């Protein structure tokens, strides 16, 4: 990389420092499937197949989303060893607070997104 490109990259990084926490959060929740999982878990723990039904995700998609959310400490994975073995997923404290923040984002979307605002206004 040439010196000019490196300098430009450094300038961009410095200018975006204030946005870094938001960018980091978006990286953690980064797909609609992850947001769907967080939303589905807002009322409490669910097993894998319950999440699959409530989100409409395919097994691989849901598994990938859960792996990322568990790794990010947004979702907790709890295993009950009794026969049959059961695995439960639930929001951590971090995940619950994120879900509240997503609620504010949903409210903003309803206020400003034409698709949602026209639905809430009723028939024209």
């Amino acid at each position: 990389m040439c010196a000019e490109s490196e300098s430009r990259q450094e300038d961009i990084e410095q200018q975006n420092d204030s946005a870094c926490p938001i960018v980091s959060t978006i990286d953690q929740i980064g797909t609609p499937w992850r947001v769907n999982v967080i939303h589905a878990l807002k009322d409490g723990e669910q097993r894998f197949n319950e999440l699959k039904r409530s989100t409409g995700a395919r097994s691989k998609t849901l598994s990938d989303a859960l792996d990322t959310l568990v790794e990010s400490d947004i979702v907790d994975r709890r295993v009950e060893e009794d026969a049959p073995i059961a695995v439960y997923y639930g929001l951590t404290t971090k995940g619950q607070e994120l879900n509240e923040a997503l609620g504010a984002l949903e409210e903003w979307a309803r206020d400003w997104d034409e698709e949602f605002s026209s639905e809430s206004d009723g028939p024209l």
Side-chain angles (χ1 to χ4, degrees), residues 49-68:
N49 284 334
E50 293 171 319
L51 278 171
K52 194 173 160 185
R53 281 189 296 276
S54 63
T55 62
R58 293 191 169 109
S59 294
K60 171 82 168 108
T61 303
L62 180 57
S63 180
D64 290 347
L66 285 167
D67 288 347
T68 301

Side-chain angles (χ1 to χ4, degrees), residues 1-91:
M1 189 182 293
C2 72
E4 186 177 323
S5 295
E6 288 178 15
S7 175
R8 173 78 174 128
Q9 185 62 33
E10 288 173 11
D11 288 345
I12 291 169
E13 289 173 9
Q14 288 175 353
Q15 291 172 352
N16 290 329
D17 276 347
S18 64
C20 282
I22 297 168
V23 172
S24 175
T25 300
I26 290 171
D27 283 344
Q28 290 179 45
I29 61 171
T31 68
W33 289 114
R34 293 180 202 157
V35 175
N36 282 339
V37 169
I38 293 166
H39 182 73
L41 292 173
K42 70 179 174 33
D43 293 325
E45 288 184 324
Q46 290 189 36
R47 293 178 69 171
F48 186 87
N49 284 334
E50 293 171 319
L51 278 171
K52 194 173 160 185
R53 281 189 296 276
S54 63
T55 62
R58 293 191 169 109
S59 294
K60 171 82 168 108
T61 303
L62 180 57
S63 180
D64 290 347
L66 285 167
D67 288 347
T68 301
L69 292 169
V70 168
E71 184 178 300
S72 298
D73 193 36
I74 293 170
V75 169
D76 181 53
R77 182 178 186 270
R78 181 175 64 85
V79 179
E80 283 190 1
E81 298 291 336
D82 298 334
I85 294 176
V87 179
Y88 293 88
Y89 296 92
L91 293 176

Side-chain angles (χ1 to χ4, degrees), residues 35 38-39 42 96-110:
V35 175
I38 293 166
H39 182 73
K42 70 179 174 33
Q96 291 169 352
E97 289 184 16
L98 175 59
N99 191 51
E100 291 172 17
L102 291 173
L105 185 60
E106 177 183 2
E107 186 176 316
W108 177 86
R110 291 192 184 282

